[in-house]
Amino acid sequence: ANFFQHFPYLDDFNKAREDENADWTTLVPLVYTHFEPMGVYKGKSSDLADLPEGAKIAVPNDPTNEARALLLLEANGLIKIDENKGLEATKKDIVENTKNFEIVELEAAQVARSLPDVAIAVINGNYALDAGLTEDDILAQEDADSEAAKTYANLIAVREGDEELPQLVALKDAITSDAIKKFIEENYKGLVKPVF
């Protein structure tokens, strides 16, 4: 079993192995475990409704996280993106930006460091934790029922056909226990959320 990926990563891995004609068993999800929601964090501004004209908004520059960031900004009424783009959107797909916000694209691990220089920043939960940010710094966050949450929840992957092995059933039961749920909620304070 491994525990580091979401389904699109697992799917890409399986497809790559097929393309290489690799002698490899397909990996499948054993259980979905947690979601690291992206949040809009306070920078120079602490109210989304009062962002000034032309305010700088930092977002991750990798395709997956940039799209999630833009969708979160859209969900909070700051911009509109091409409705056909979804989780493939880039800043080129912004179709409405009435306050002329400047979208600043940065490497995901650097976005939190930009907070002193931008009005707000959209940051991945794991990087927010690393930067010492808390729920008090969040102005908005991806919902647990968002497209991103459904797509990018982390999972435990196992070889196809091994899902019912006793040790993997025990792992699934342990990782989805009330004790683990409580641990996630108490230790990550909303920056990581259980999805079981």
Side-chain angles (χ1 to χ4, degrees):
N2 71 47
F3 184 20
F4 71 90
Q5 61 192 307
H6 47 59
F7 187 80
Y9 184 98
L10 177 135
D11 192 44
D12 286 347
F13 175 84
N14 284 336
K15 287 176 182 171
R17 300 300 285 184
E18 286 174 14
D19 292 344
E20 297 168 1
N21 293 317
D23 184 20
W24 186 260
T25 303
T26 300
L27 296 179
V28 296
L30 176 68
V31 65
Y32 288 86
T33 58
H34 70 279
F35 173 58
E36 297 169 5
M38 292 190 90
V40 178
Y41 288 81
K42 302 173 191 175
K44 293 179 178 180
S45 297
S46 58
D47 187 345
L48 294 180
D50 291 333
L51 288 175
E53 177 87 14
K56 290 182 178 181
I57 300 174
V59 300
N61 66 359
D62 60 283
T64 298
N65 289 316
E66 181 171 13
R68 287 175 63 188
L70 295 174
L71 287 169
L72 182 55
L73 295 173
E74 180 178 55
N76 286 279
L78 300 177
I79 59 171
K80 286 191 180 175
I81 58 174
D82 182 332
E83 63 185 34
N84 298 312
K85 293 298 181 175
L87 287 170
E88 295 178 357
T90 69
K91 77 177 190 176
K92 294 177 184 174
D93 299 309
I94 296 171
V95 295
E96 188 176 308
N97 183 358
T98 57
K99 292 182 85 173
N100 299 308
F101 296 127
E102 181 184 344
I103 305 298
V104 179
E105 299 167 303
L106 300 170
E107 198 275 321
Q110 302 303 315
V111 177
R113 293 182 184 163
S114 74
L115 284 172
D117 303 315
V118 298
I120 57 173
V122 185
I123 305 171
N124 299 70
N126 57 321
Y127 294 123
L129 282 169
D130 290 345
L133 298 170
T134 68
E135 273 189 305
D136 294 337
D137 300 307
I138 299 172
L139 300 174
Q141 194 176 45
E142 286 175 320
D143 290 329
D145 63 350
S146 68
E147 183 179 358
K150 293 172 187 167
T151 305
Y152 296 109
N154 285 51
L155 57 89
I156 294 177
V158 298
R159 289 181 303 209
E160 188 173 39
D162 287 353
E163 300 95 325
E164 297 302 320
L165 289 175
Q167 63 269 37
L168 294 179
V169 171
L171 175 62
K172 179 179 178 179
D173 290 346
I175 203 76
T176 58
S177 68
D178 288 341
I180 295 295
K181 182 179 250 185
K182 182 177 178 184
F183 177 86
I184 292 170
E185 291 169 347
E186 290 179 355
N187 286 278
Y188 297 108
K189 313 257 187 248
L191 300 184
V192 175
K193 296 184 177 187
V195 294
F196 53 87

